[in-house]
Amino acid sequence: MIVAEVVRSGFVESTHHGVVAVDGGPSIGDVDTPFFPRSSNKPLQTVGLLNAGLVPREEADLALISGSHDGEGFHVERVRAMLAAVDLGPEALRCPADLPLGETPRHDWLRGGGAAEPILMNCSGKHAGMLATCVLNGWPLDTYLDIDHPLQKALADAVSRLSGEPIAALGVDGCGAPIFAISPIGLARGFRRLVEAEPGSPERRVADAMRARPELVAGTGTEDTVLMNAVPGLLVKKGADGVAAAAMAGVGAVALKISDGASRARVPVLLAALRRLGLAVPAMPELVLGGGLPVGEVRAVR
């Protein structure tokens, strides 16, 4: 089903199909067919880490573990500190070497003569949380990404429990960690359970940490950070290939997937869904440029 269109000079140039699952309102498309939520799964997985015995240095670490950071200096130093707290160094990370995800920190890093490193990879916070959990349980470190590892079994159990459905398929995410397929409505259900859980529970600790420190979830000026700063109480986590999820206690939750994986359609569709739930969200236009000037936009059509 078409959920967004690209308009250039008043002419519809392209369209994007997708699915928008709403827990608490009308959905769009087939919301029951499983998909890979990619990094939008991370908050659910962090609940699994806490249930498995993770003891973070401070609650703010849970935001970074649940996030896809831009590789800014404060992100990298926090990952380093999380590892050091369990007597590990960056060499323990099994995520691939990468450059900072954010454009500015990436350019700054390269100008300084830096090269790709695993700690710069946007999922290094999640991996640090996984490693810390393994250390606390005495689990093997070298194989923590194996699907049969007790850590990954605990994370799969958490995703299944929070989404309210069995894991439909297993895959390997971009960072090398297992990714668990659930339905879009299952993802929305899981996010709603995070924000509506009892204070102090693992679910609420994750949601509260992310909302208290949104800059650790993504980075300075990114969509997740801007939305959580602009709408108090809103939980947001984007994922690769056109995925996003968001929830507000007492209001509802949204999970979406742009079928062709285009990130440019993600924000307009997410904002439209949140507005249908009655939330006042900021304007975050996705502009179409011509000669370096705005000549159109990407806009939601439902």
Side-chain angles (χ1 to χ4, degrees):
M1 189 169 295
I2 294 176
V3 294
E5 59 187 16
V6 183
V7 180
R8 180 182 297 274
S9 304
F11 182 81
V12 176
E13 182 177 35
S14 304
T15 57
H16 294 286
H17 291 72
V19 172
V20 183
V22 181
D23 188 14
S27 296
I28 299 171
D30 178 5
V31 301
D32 296 313
T33 296
F35 76 131
F36 286 131
R38 305 297 299 274
S39 286
S40 293
N41 250 351
K42 287 179 179 176
L44 309 187
Q45 291 174 303
T46 304
V47 173
L49 295 178
L50 289 172
N51 288 334
L54 174 65
V55 180
R57 299 175 314 122
E58 52 185 79
E59 291 296 284
D61 286 348
L62 297 176
L64 188 63
I65 293 169
S66 304
S68 303
H69 66 75
D70 267 8
E72 297 175 72
F74 62 90
H75 295 133
V76 177
E77 290 311 308
R78 185 173 285 270
V79 175
R80 199 180 305 276
M82 288 165 54
L83 291 168
V86 290
D87 297 322
L88 295 177
E91 67 278 359
L93 295 167
R94 294 291 181 266
C95 51
D98 204 352
L99 293 170
L101 182 64
E103 184 176 356
T104 297
R106 181 170 61 253
H107 289 170
D108 290 345
W109 184 257
L110 290 172
R111 277 195 295 267
E117 298 180 21
I119 199 170
L120 302 175
M121 203 265 172
N122 72 90
C123 296
S124 65
K126 177 181 75 174
H127 282 249
M130 290 179 176
L131 284 164
T133 306
C134 289
V135 170
L136 293 168
N137 283 282
W139 292 336
L141 301 182
D142 291 344
T143 57
Y144 74 93
L145 297 183
D146 290 357
I147 194 60
D148 292 327
H149 194 284
L151 173 79
Q152 299 303 335
K153 290 182 178 179
L155 301 191
D157 287 345
V159 172
S160 179
R161 178 179 60 83
L162 290 167
S163 65
E165 57 191 50
I167 303 300
L170 299 172
V172 180
D173 212 340
C175 66
I179 182 68
F180 312 111
I182 54 176
S183 70
I185 195 63
L187 180 61
R189 188 184 303 121
F191 264 64
R192 188 168 188 174
R193 286 175 173 170
L194 296 184
V195 298
E196 295 186 348
E198 289 295 319
S201 65
E203 291 83 359
R204 267 293 289 277
R205 287 176 64 191
V206 171
D208 288 349
M210 293 174 67
R211 293 180 292 188
R213 296 293 302 274
E215 76 281 0
L216 294 178
V217 176
T220 304
T222 61
E223 62 197 71
D224 292 356
T225 304
V226 170
L227 277 171
M228 285 191 278
N229 277 330
V231 186
L234 181 64
L235 178 69
V236 183
K237 180 68 188 78
K238 66 183 177 183
D241 273 7
V243 178
M248 171 79 84
V251 176
V254 172
L256 65 90
K257 163 69 175 175
I258 305 302
S259 297
D260 62 2
S263 60
R264 68 180 179 179
R266 178 175 57 208
V267 171
V269 174
L270 175 60
L271 295 180
L274 292 174
R275 291 188 182 110
R276 287 197 299 274
L277 284 176
L279 294 176
V281 294
M284 299 173 64
E286 291 285 330
L287 299 177
V288 173
L289 302 180
L293 298 175
V295 294
E297 64 176 339
V298 184
R299 66 190 184 194
V301 298
R302 296 179 184 277

